[in-house]
């Protein structure tokens, strides 16, 4: 397995996700919207909004963009205060790029594992065929 790229020290990924989640929840409540309202306006569903508001790492950037747009915000408006400055945006962009690299590496590793599993399945299937060929008299006798 390959070594995963390091995530920037400026932002801990989990802390950044929680900060964004908190901003989404605050902005939704400030607008007196329910999760269902925001889901309908953003073209998602309530469970996606709920996941976004708890900082679920499975939320896609595109979904965050839809959520921000549904509240007439930019994605940068969802970032914590210090991350909205020019240097903060650079750090955020670096953190997001680092996270994307981690995800890409994980996807590559998953594909490698899937390929190995497929190879093992082929070997196992071939082994079963060989064992059937080795004992032709046992099949169908009775």
């Amino acid at each position: 397995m390959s070594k995963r790229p390091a995530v920037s020290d400026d932002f801990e990924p989990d802390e950044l996700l929680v900060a964004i989640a908190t901003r989404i929840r605050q902005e939704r409540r400030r607008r007196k919207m329910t999760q269902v309202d925001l889901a309908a306006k953003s073209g998602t569903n309530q469970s996606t909004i709920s996941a976004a508001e708890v900082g679920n790492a499975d939320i896609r950037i595109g979904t965050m963009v839809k959520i921000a747009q549904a509240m007439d915000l930019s994605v940068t408006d969802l970032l914590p205060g210090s991350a909205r400055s020019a240097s903060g945006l650079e750090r955020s962009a670096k953190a997001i790029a680092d996270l994307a690299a981690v995800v890409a590496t994980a996807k590559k590793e998953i594909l490698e594992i899937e390929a190995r599993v497929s190879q093992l399945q082929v070997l196992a299937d071939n082994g079963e065929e060989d064992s059937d060929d080795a004992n032709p008299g046992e099949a169908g006798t009775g």
Side-chain angles (χ1 to χ4, degrees):
M1 301 276 164
S2 58
K3 183 181 176 196
R4 293 179 189 254
V7 176
S8 170
D9 291 335
D10 294 329
F11 288 109
E12 288 297 321
D14 291 340
E15 290 174 7
L16 183 59
L17 284 171
V18 169
I20 292 169
T22 300
R23 292 280 299 151
I24 291 171
R25 186 174 42 257
Q26 287 171 343
E27 289 297 327
R28 176 183 59 78
R29 288 178 176 167
R30 192 171 69 78
R31 287 167 172 71
K32 298 187 182 345
M33 297 173 77
T34 65
Q35 288 183 348
V36 173
D37 295 335
L38 182 54
K41 193 168 180 184
S42 64
T44 61
N45 57 50
Q46 186 272 331
S47 62
T48 299
I49 300 301
S50 178
E53 289 187 0
V54 296
N56 186 326
D58 292 336
I59 296 299
R60 297 178 185 274
I61 297 296
T63 302
M64 285 192 186
V65 170
K66 288 179 183 180
I67 291 169
Q69 289 174 340
M71 294 188 290
D72 296 319
L73 299 170
S74 70
V75 175
T76 57
D77 292 331
L78 299 178
L79 296 174
S82 63
R84 283 184 246 149
S85 67
S87 62
L89 288 176
E90 290 171 9
R91 288 193 310 269
S92 294
K94 172 88 171 93
I96 290 169
D98 289 346
L99 285 170
V102 169
V103 168
T105 299
K107 285 181 179 180
K108 181 180 174 191
E109 290 172 357
I110 289 168
L111 290 174
E112 289 172 1
I113 291 167
E114 287 174 344
R116 288 180 188 155
V117 168
S118 294
Q119 290 171 346
L120 290 172
Q121 185 62 48
V122 168
L123 289 174
D125 291 346
N126 287 342
E128 289 175 12
E129 289 173 11
D130 291 345
S131 66
D132 290 344
D133 292 343
N135 301 314
E138 291 180 15
T141 60

